Amino acid sequence: MSGVDPHSHGEYASLNLAQAVLLVCYEFMQAQDEVPEWTRKTASREEMEAMYGHLHETMHLIGYTDAVRARHTLRLWRAMLDRALMSSAESRLFRGLLRQVQWKVQDAARGNGDDQTGKRSGE
């Protein structure tokens, strides 16, 4: 032998790593077949429709859309939000945001709005 350590695998280090990665991936994929798929409960159609109604009202309130463009705009929002497969909790969270927006706009319209410094208007 020409001075090469027979126990040294330096020439094959990347091959050994590739084989190890392949083996781990194979075992992972095999394990996936044995684990029951976790499915989360998505919001019901009724919950989603109530959310879309709330979104529609809020869009009009803040001037985000008007009667002419509302149908098209809401269709785009529906497509996006339907793809999200929201849970009931997520749809309630979104509606909470819409309620807060509505409250803030209505409060400001009554002249009770806070400015950016946290002081009431007129202080």
Side-chain angles (χ1 to χ4, degrees):
M1 297 227 341
S2 58
V4 176
D5 181 4
H7 300 292
S8 171
H9 300 292
E11 296 176 39
Y12 304 105
S14 62
L15 180 58
N16 291 338
L17 178 60
Q19 289 172 327
V21 170
L22 179 64
L23 181 60
V24 169
C25 290
Y26 173 80
E27 290 297 332
F28 180 75
M29 293 305 291
Q30 291 299 310
Q32 292 300 311
D33 293 336
E34 299 167 10
V35 176
E37 184 177 328
W38 179 75
T39 56
R40 70 184 179 105
K41 189 175 183 302
T42 57
S44 69
R45 182 48 38 195
E46 292 79 23
E47 289 172 307
M48 294 301 288
E49 290 303 321
M51 185 184 74
Y52 293 137
H54 202 161
L55 176 60
H56 186 250
E57 291 171 10
T58 305
M59 287 190 311
H60 279 292
L61 178 67
I62 64 173
Y64 180 80
T65 191
D66 56 27
V68 175
R69 290 181 283 265
R71 187 174 170 186
H72 174 72
T73 303
L74 193 56
R75 188 173 19 150
L76 293 173
W77 276 100
R78 281 176 173 267
M80 181 182 70
L81 293 171
D82 278 346
R83 277 194 310 272
L85 297 174
M86 294 174 128
S87 68
S88 292
E90 290 166 337
S91 70
R92 288 191 305 272
L93 179 72
F94 191 75
R95 291 192 72 187
L97 172 68
L98 296 174
R99 271 190 300 279
Q100 186 65 24
V101 168
Q102 288 177 331
W103 175 82
K104 191 68 172 178
V105 169
Q106 291 165 349
D107 193 50
R110 288 189 297 269
N112 299 326
D114 295 342
D115 67 13
Q116 300 236 345
T117 64
K119 293 186 178 183
R120 306 289 270 165
S121 299
E123 287 185 7

